[in-house]
Amino acid sequence: MCGIVGYLGNKNTKEILLSGLKELEYRGYDSAGIAVLQDGELINHKAVGKLVNLEEKTKNFVTDKFAVGIGHTRWATHGKPTELNAHPHLGESSYVVHNGIIENYAELKQELQNDGVKFLSQTDTEVIVHQFEKNLLKCNNEFEAFSKTISELNGAYATLIITASLPDTIFFAKHGSPMLVGTNDEDEKFFASSDSPLIGLAKEVNYFEDGDYGYVTKDELVIFDKDSKKVKPNFSKLSTDKLSAQKDGYRFFMEKEIYEQSDVIADTLIGRLSDEEIIFDEIDKNLFDGINEIKLCACGTSYHSALSASYMFERYSKIRCSVEIASEFRYRSPIMTKDTLFVVISQSGETADTLETLKMAKRAGLKTLVICNVDNSSMVRGADNCILTRAGIEKGVASTKAFATQVTVFWMLSLYVAKLKKSLTTDELKYQIQLLREVPLATKVSDDMHERIKRLSKRYLHGHGFFFIGRDIFFPLALEGALKLKEISYLHAEGYPSGEMKHGPIALADPELFTIALLPEHLLYEKSKSNVEELSARDSTICAISSLDFDKADDFIKINSCKDYMLEFFEMMIVVQLLSLEISVRLGNDVDMPRNLAKSVTVE
Ligand code: F6R
């Protein structure tokens, strides 16, 4: 996701900005840029792709005296990853960088355009700098113009502005997106969207609260709070451990990524929902013409998201859908007909087996689509069409936020097809889109829930096995829960359809067999409940996850009551992820780098 840095001081501004951006690389980005105001001159460089491209562009750019500078790594949301869309964005004589989303950008842009302002990018960010310059004409000074601008923005932001008429000042504002400022004995000032760029440079840091805004000069750090009251900085010492700084205070990347899901799902949705339809500008308008079947192909967690998609495609889009494990598909002489859309799903875009199936489908002349988290990966380059999941870089080997965003994309895609095929009424479509908007809330991790799971986890460190069980779309979630647990705890776990237990596995039931039962209130509740009762009657230890109390369980994890089973799906996803995490932590395992596993499986 996007990253921000800023610097004010006498040292090598370019180097400080570039190395700060390097520290934020792990968040993922597809373009980057810096703007520096030195000797009264504003200079800006931007590049698409990795930071080496920006380093190459700036190799002759010398910053050897007092300057102010801002930098940004951008993960494309509004508009493609191009140089014009990369930050910093220029007005007449000011530059802005911004993380987050300006919800009222379309109205502001329209007004500015009516006033004759020309926009160069497709981003929401550019309105900030033009609005600031519009206000400069009306206000008494730059800070007044900045304050007015901030008061006119709706949405979430962390933003920095520099302007030619005040060459010793950086303006800042934070609301909903993280940002901190650091300083040291040499009165240098450093900004960043997370700790790591400041380590080794700043002595103490102030984490901004939502609603904070103000400015820095060499001598001052002036902060106003959300009520426009001047407040003192609340400095704290900075950790010296870069790896732990990248984890933003979480113990493991996996934990951080579980907590990030609410935000990254919001990113996945940005620009893709209107009230009555799903917008995927990135795919060919005629992609579904002549298509009678969708075939999904993937490995591991991505396979589980594909399985969940098959329920949505058949239920919402009324289109035949089959799902294949890539390593099986590639050697079983499959029948491929041209009325099938072949979809590969991959976090990395590099998984060898999945990539090979994509090549097979292309050789057979099928239309292809990839759902992927990594732009420019082999699959993205290979497929005719691509939808990016926008989860940001996933560092934990056990996939969490990639899965969450894949399911979100599939849900949107099934509604996109439903609209084309008129398989849902307008009201049904509206209802589904409204539900999608509620997923970021459903995936917020509550402290109470996490605490409860931490406590419960101590009861699940032994036993001869786990069965995660669920029905319908909760069956793929059960598979995913079991995969998470076995990957990081090394305990044996299986995912099973609840109704299938009595056809064999129930023979294993005894108190040392742990059943993790997914009991959604709004989908086949009674049926699932009686399956769990069968296991309970045979003395299996039951941990039930539901919004409805269930007295046949030994342990019970209560999720929020939701209006639809799809929201319950996301609530339960968080529970099974946290349960695996906490069991693994108690067993003393390396959560982020489990034994025998690699993040990207580029061999067969
Ligand atoms: C599980 C996990 C793996 C991957 C699988 C496919 O936590 O990460 O099962 O899902 O190796 O990887 P991608 O999605 O990169 O193709």
Side-chain angles (χ1 to χ4, degrees):
M1 297 287 99
C2 305
I4 283 185
V5 293
Y7 174 68
L8 176 153
N10 295 312
K11 301 226 178 91
N12 188 337
T13 305
K14 175 186 89 175
E15 287 308 323
I16 290 173
L17 294 177
L18 288 178
S19 61
L21 292 179
K22 251 201 149 36
E23 291 297 332
L24 297 174
E25 266 196 310
Y26 72 95
R27 300 161 71 95
Y29 64 103
D30 35 44
S31 60
I34 59 171
V36 175
L37 175 54
Q38 175 182 262
D39 274 345
E41 204 187 348
L42 263 175
I43 296 186
N44 164 240
H45 292 278
K46 301 183 191 189
V48 172
K50 294 290 152 204
L51 277 174
V52 284
N53 302 341
L54 185 61
E55 282 165 357
E56 181 58 29
K57 281 200 159 176
T58 53
K59 68 173 188 254
N60 298 322
F61 174 39
V62 182
T63 48
D64 54 1
K65 45 182 79 99
F66 178 84
V68 292
I70 55 179
H72 192 266
T73 45
R74 172 173 187 259
W75 179 279
T77 50
H78 286 85
K80 293 197 160 47
T82 59
E83 263 186 42
L84 277 181
N85 286 335
H87 302 210
H89 290 287
L90 173 68
E92 291 291 322
S93 56
S94 320
Y95 275 102
V96 66
V97 289
H98 158 237
N99 283 356
I101 168 167
I102 306 300
E103 282 163 3
N104 59 335
Y105 90 101
E107 296 101 277
L108 292 173
K109 186 169 178 175
Q110 192 56 59
E111 283 170 26
L112 288 159
Q113 282 175 327
N114 294 346
D115 295 344
V117 174
K118 295 258 172 307
F119 278 75
L120 296 175
S121 76
Q122 300 157 302
T123 66
D124 53 339
T125 302
E126 199 181 340
V127 298
I128 305 175
V129 70
H130 294 305
Q131 193 70 14
F132 170 67
E133 295 195 335
K134 174 176 166 181
N135 289 333
L136 265 181
L137 302 174
K138 300 189 240 163
C139 294
N140 294 318
N141 58 49
E142 289 83 352
F143 183 56
E144 199 181 304
F146 179 72
S147 313
K148 180 164 165 43
T149 306
I150 294 307
S151 70
E152 289 161 343
L153 304 178
N154 295 338
Y157 47 81
T159 185
L160 299 177
I161 289 190
I162 55 175
T163 187
S165 57
L166 276 186
D168 63 345
T169 303
I170 301 178
F171 296 106
F172 61 83
K174 181 247 190 274
H175 183 74
S177 295
M179 188 160 64
L180 67 156
V181 62
T183 185
N184 58 18
D185 295 337
E186 294 163 73
D187 288 332
E188 291 170 288
K189 307 287 186 303
F190 306 88
F191 289 92
S193 45
S194 72
D195 289 0
S196 53
L198 271 55
I199 291 174
L201 297 173
K203 195 169 150 196
E204 48 185 12
V205 293
N206 171 85
Y207 296 89
F208 293 118
E209 300 292 331
D210 278 341
D212 282 359
Y213 65 99
Y215 59 90
V216 294
T217 63
K218 195 164 177 357
D219 308 315
E220 278 187 299
L221 161 57
V222 178
I223 307 175
F224 291 86
D225 69 8
K226 59 179 186 327
D227 303 318
S228 300
K229 260 195 16 236
K230 199 166 175 175
V231 290
K232 282 208 176 108
N234 182 9
F235 282 120
S236 54
K237 288 258 169 294
L238 191 58
S239 132
T240 50
D241 175 354
K242 285 205 173 171
L243 197 63
S244 89
Q246 286 186 349
K247 290 183 197 148
D248 282 350
Y250 295 100
R251 296 165 294 170
F252 305 98
F253 281 109
M254 182 187 176
E255 185 179 31
K256 172 170 177 265
E257 287 159 5
I258 292 172
Y259 273 76
E260 265 172 16
Q261 291 178 113
S262 168
D263 286 345
V264 295
I265 290 172
D267 287 336
T268 306
L269 299 175
I270 282 179
R272 289 169 168 168
L273 305 183
S274 82
D275 287 345
E276 288 181 17
E277 65 178 344
I278 303 291
I279 303 147
F280 278 125
D281 286 336
E282 56 270 68
I283 59 179
D284 179 358
K285 298 255 159 324
N286 305 320
L287 183 60
F288 287 90
D289 288 0
I291 295 297
N292 294 316
E293 180 177 349
I294 298 176
K295 194 175 274 301
L296 307 171
C297 200
C299 302
T301 288
S302 297
Y303 169 74
H304 296 154
S305 78
L307 265 184
S308 70
S310 68
Y311 290 84
M312 298 189 266
F313 280 125
E314 298 210 338
R315 181 163 290 142
Y316 302 143
S317 335
K318 300 280 178 265
I319 187 162
R320 206 164 42 241
C321 181
S322 57
V323 192
E324 306 273 356
I325 291 179
S327 57
E328 282 297 305
F329 185 76
R330 58 184 289 196
Y331 294 111
R332 67 165 182 77
S333 315
I335 295 168
M336 292 199 256
T337 53
K338 296 227 169 89
D339 64 345
T340 300
L341 173 68
F342 194 82
V343 184
V344 285
I345 308 93
S346 174
Q347 188 285 130
S348 62
E350 302 297 346
T351 303
D353 284 321
T354 314
L355 184 58
E356 185 50 38
T357 65
L358 174 63
K359 291 180 186 161
M360 285 165 66
K362 291 197 75 170
R363 282 197 296 271
L366 269 61
K367 289 187 183 178
T368 57
L369 167 69
V370 57
I371 292 175
C372 190
N373 194 36
V374 181
D375 201 2
N376 289 318
S377 56
S378 303
M379 284 182 224
V380 169
R381 282 182 277 117
D384 313 321
N385 288 273
C386 163
I387 298 177
L388 292 174
T389 46
R390 303 177 181 164
I393 286 185
E394 193 177 55
K395 281 210 153 186
V397 165
S399 188
T400 51
K401 60 179 183 167
F403 174 77
T405 52
Q406 286 170 348
V407 176
T408 306
V409 164
F410 274 129
W411 189 0
M412 284 192 282
L413 192 62
S414 68
L415 302 181
Y416 178 92
V417 180
K419 168 98 182 176
L420 290 176
K421 297 206 167 287
K422 300 188 178 49
S423 54
L424 291 180
T425 64
T426 308
D427 282 348
E428 285 166 339
L429 208 49
K430 276 187 180 166
Y431 169 73
Q432 290 290 324
I433 292 170
Q434 182 48 39
L435 288 178
L436 272 165
R437 293 187 199 280
E438 293 173 33
V439 180
L441 190 62
T443 43
K444 274 224 177 315
V445 181
S446 91
D447 290 346
D448 288 352
M449 168 69 83
H450 195 166
E451 251 336 288
R452 166 130 184 87
I453 292 172
K454 241 183 221 170
R455 281 171 55 76
L456 275 185
S457 62
K458 62 175 175 289
R459 313 243 278 258
Y460 294 92
L461 308 179
H462 58 288
H464 58 75
F466 286 75
F467 272 91
F468 284 68
I469 60 169
R471 277 177 171 261
D472 201 282
I473 196 169
F474 290 83
F475 163 51
L477 183 59
L479 286 171
E480 177 57 10
L483 180 63
K484 286 292 83 80
L485 185 69
K486 65 186 141 204
E487 281 182 295
I488 58 173
S489 73
Y490 318 142
L491 295 170
H492 180 248
E494 274 188 74
Y496 235 77
S498 310
E500 190 64 11
M501 290 298 285
K502 59 169 113 25
H503 298 288
I506 203 165
L508 292 167
D510 69 17
E512 298 294 293
L513 180 81
F514 299 136
T515 301
I516 313 294
L518 308 181
L519 284 173
E521 182 181 346
H522 297 295
L523 194 67
L524 300 170
Y525 179 74
E526 289 303 329
K527 300 258 172 237
S528 308
K529 197 171 98 170
S530 62
N531 297 143
V532 181
E533 281 165 355
E534 287 155 12
L535 280 152
S536 169
R538 279 144 190 102
D539 245 1
S540 167
T541 299
I542 312 278
C543 175
I545 308 172
S546 184
S547 58
L548 296 178
D549 292 330
F550 180 60
D551 57 12
K552 298 278 173 9
D554 301 273
D555 285 317
F556 180 64
I557 301 175
K558 197 176 178 79
I559 59 160
N560 291 314
S561 181
C562 306
K563 64 168 175 268
D564 191 279
Y565 68 86
M566 282 305 292
L567 297 178
E568 296 182 280
F569 178 98
F570 283 97
E571 293 248 353
M572 289 189 194
M573 176 194 76
I574 299 280
V575 174
V576 294
Q577 291 169 342
L578 286 175
L579 188 62
S580 304
L581 173 86
E582 292 306 336
I583 291 175
S584 171
V585 172
R586 281 191 188 269
L587 291 171
N589 298 342
D590 186 341
V591 170
D592 285 332
M593 268 184 272
R595 69 185 185 201
N596 307 338
L597 298 180
K599 187 67 192 158
S600 188
V601 186
T602 51
V603 289
E604 232 190 284

